[in-house]
Amino acid sequence: MDQEFFDALETRPAPQREAQLLAALPGQVHHAQRNTPAFAEILAGIDAEKVTSREALARLPVTRKGELLERQKARRAQDPFGGFSALVRGPAMPHVFASPGPIFEPEGGTRDYWRCGRSLFAAGFRAGDLVHNAFSYHMTPGAFIFESAAHAVGCSIFPAGVGQTEQQLEAITALRPTAYTGTPSFLRILLEKAAETGTDVTSLRKGLVGGEAFPPSLRDWFAERGMDVYQSYATADLGLIAYETRARQGMVVDEGVLVEIVRPGTGDPVAPGEVGEVVVTTFNPAYPLIRFGTGDLSAVLPGEDPTGRTNMRIRGWLGRADQTTKIRGMFVHPGQVADIARRFPEIVKARLVVSGEMANDVMTLKVEASSPSQGLDARVGEAVRDVTKLRADVEVLAPGSLPNDGKVIEDARSYK
């Protein structure tokens, strides 16, 4: 590590990074097929040696968290990880965690298993810092994710956990930690309580937060109180996905994953800059998730980060991709909207808007079409009835008319 970057991977020329990731892809797909029962089924019949491009990767199925949970439930007596883990219990699996669902996650025994050291380093954490870690140490992996990351950077950890605000302030006063990890809301509680009680917490100068939304207004609130706080985007399944740098221009994608942005409800990549679901392929041999749908919306930012990091940037969290909506007693899924659009080559984008008052739903399918053919609206209306069993009005719009917000189904009903 030098003073500016966690390692040399962050400043690789972008074409070199892409070539190296794609060169590693067939081996990871083959490893998942051979060593995890779940992907042996999901990727059955796939020739791993041919998955050497993003186009080939995009032809593989997306596995979403709901499917992971269902497989875990079905195999719980034999394998609590649902056939997704390549690890066996013992030294190679020092911890097992439970996230809401419950979904069970293994921890591998490698240093900085979730690869979050990179995000701490970008937030200004350095060897010798004492980190006040206020993520929960109970069942879920958040505290352990950031503890292992801090150790990778060379920091010491105070395992504060959550709650007991007054005792935490006493510890901060006595130990003088320089950095904080935890949720942004709890950091605000600590600082407000310190101001109320006259407790000196000025040793805290930097922070890395996660697990919640982190609006710019709260970032500025921390800055006014002398703290430089950044955010990371990580999950228990995938580890680090992306992280903020001092440029604060979106989030830089981690070096250990391959990220795609796809149209919600499908596995189809969207155009650069368009909002869609974040789909991640990891190169983690212990838990080799291939095209794992996060359920989060984001979009790719053009250009490179001003700090000199050359990886892809995303805009950060922009909402949830699962927009399944109940209409007139029937569930309609984003995938069904995509199925309708695929039937018509001239349709480039579609958005189902549900309006009206409760018990009086009005469905309108708005489609962008280049050179629409005569009677397109009527034919699309027939396809809507065929796919959803519901009737909808159809509006044909010029390309670029619909908002770039990732919404495939917009619920605009009045609930008064």
Side-chain angles (χ1 to χ4, degrees):
M1 294 188 297
D2 63 20
Q3 190 174 359
E4 183 61 28
F5 302 107
F6 185 70
D7 58 29
L9 296 177
E10 294 180 355
T11 56
R12 285 180 288 178
Q16 178 186 340
R17 174 184 295 104
E18 185 77 354
Q20 290 173 339
L21 289 174
L22 294 177
L25 192 54
Q28 182 70 342
V29 172
H30 179 71
H31 171 72
Q33 289 173 315
R34 185 169 182 174
N35 294 286
T36 68
F39 279 109
E41 293 181 19
I42 294 167
L43 302 178
I46 300 295
D47 184 352
E49 296 305 313
K50 293 183 179 179
V51 186
T52 57
S53 66
R54 285 184 177 264
E55 292 74 21
L57 179 64
R59 290 192 286 270
L60 304 185
V62 173
T63 299
R64 293 186 167 85
K65 187 157 289 195
E67 181 179 351
L68 188 153
L69 176 59
E70 290 306 312
R71 284 180 176 267
Q72 286 199 358
K73 288 180 177 178
R75 296 174 58 94
R76 192 141 289 170
Q78 302 82 29
D79 176 9
F81 306 117
F84 286 95
S85 174
L87 293 172
V88 295
R89 292 178 184 174
M93 189 192 298
H95 293 101
V96 174
F97 299 102
S99 294
I103 292 178
F104 297 102
E105 299 108 0
E107 178 194 16
T110 55
R111 178 176 179 269
D112 194 15
Y113 171 73
W114 291 277
R115 309 177 316 281
C116 281
R118 188 178 307 284
S119 62
L120 267 71
F121 196 86
F125 289 52
R126 294 293 184 269
D129 279 330
L130 174 61
V131 179
H132 188 92
N133 188 14
F135 280 107
S136 173
Y137 277 84
H138 179 65
M139 291 193 182
T140 58
F144 297 86
I145 291 174
F146 283 86
E147 179 169 311
S148 64
H151 290 161
V153 174
C155 304
S156 297
I157 282 282
F158 177 71
V162 296
Q164 300 180 308
T165 305
E166 292 181 359
Q167 290 93 324
Q168 295 217 25
L169 291 177
E170 290 175 5
I172 292 171
T173 301
L175 294 172
R176 309 293 293 168
T178 49
Y180 168 93
T181 52
T183 63
S185 60
F186 189 64
L187 177 57
R188 179 163 189 160
I189 288 170
L190 286 173
L191 296 184
E192 287 178 335
K193 188 67 173 179
E196 177 188 323
T197 59
T199 305
D200 181 8
V201 293
T202 56
S203 65
L204 289 174
R205 308 302 297 173
K206 51 200 168 189
L208 185 69
V209 296
E212 297 173 349
F214 185 45
S217 58
L218 184 53
R219 178 197 68 199
D220 295 342
W221 189 89
F222 290 137
E224 290 167 2
R225 286 151 182 81
M227 285 199 69
D228 197 17
V229 181
Y230 296 83
Q231 60 182 324
S232 64
Y233 175 25
T235 73
D237 321 280
L238 298 161
L240 185 64
I241 299 171
Y243 58 98
E244 201 173 19
T245 74
R246 71 172 189 274
R248 298 195 187 275
Q249 295 183 13
M251 305 182 85
V252 178
V253 170
D254 178 53
E255 299 296 326
V257 295
L258 195 155
V259 168
E260 304 168 88
I261 307 293
V262 309
R263 196 166 309 285
T266 77
D268 304 331
V270 300
E274 186 174 343
V275 176
E277 182 183 7
V278 178
V279 170
V280 180
T281 295
T282 76
F283 293 88
N284 176 5
Y287 206 53
L289 297 176
I290 308 297
R291 297 204 89 200
F292 189 74
T294 63
D296 297 324
L297 294 176
S298 194
V300 173
L301 281 174
E304 294 180 354
D305 195 73
T307 63
R309 294 170 174 86
T310 57
N311 208 343
M312 173 197 298
R313 297 182 301 163
I314 59 175
R315 286 174 56 188
W317 188 81
L318 300 176
R320 293 295 294 170
D322 184 5
Q323 300 154 24
T324 299
T325 306
K326 198 170 189 178
I327 306 168
R328 302 176 204 157
M330 302 280 286
F331 283 106
V332 180
H333 307 272
Q336 291 174 297
V337 178
D339 288 342
I340 294 164
R342 287 194 194 101
R343 298 185 180 196
F344 304 93
E346 59 261 62
I347 292 180
V348 295
K349 193 174 182 180
R351 181 188 187 99
L352 184 67
V353 180
V354 192
S355 58
E357 298 178 356
M358 291 298 289
N360 187 27
D361 299 335
V362 177
M363 272 174 50
T364 304
L365 184 64
K366 299 183 178 184
V367 298
E368 293 181 1
S370 54
S371 304
S373 55
Q374 187 72 27
L376 177 64
D377 54 348
R379 296 196 306 277
V380 172
E382 292 174 2
V384 172
R385 289 193 296 274
D386 181 42
V387 173
T388 69
K389 313 307 178 190
L390 298 168
R391 292 181 178 273
D393 297 326
V394 177
E395 293 183 11
V396 180
L397 308 171
S401 300
L402 294 174
N404 179 24
D405 58 7
K407 285 189 178 179
V408 175
I409 302 177
E410 177 187 354
D411 191 345
R413 289 174 288 193
S414 172
Y415 290 90
K416 294 181 180 179

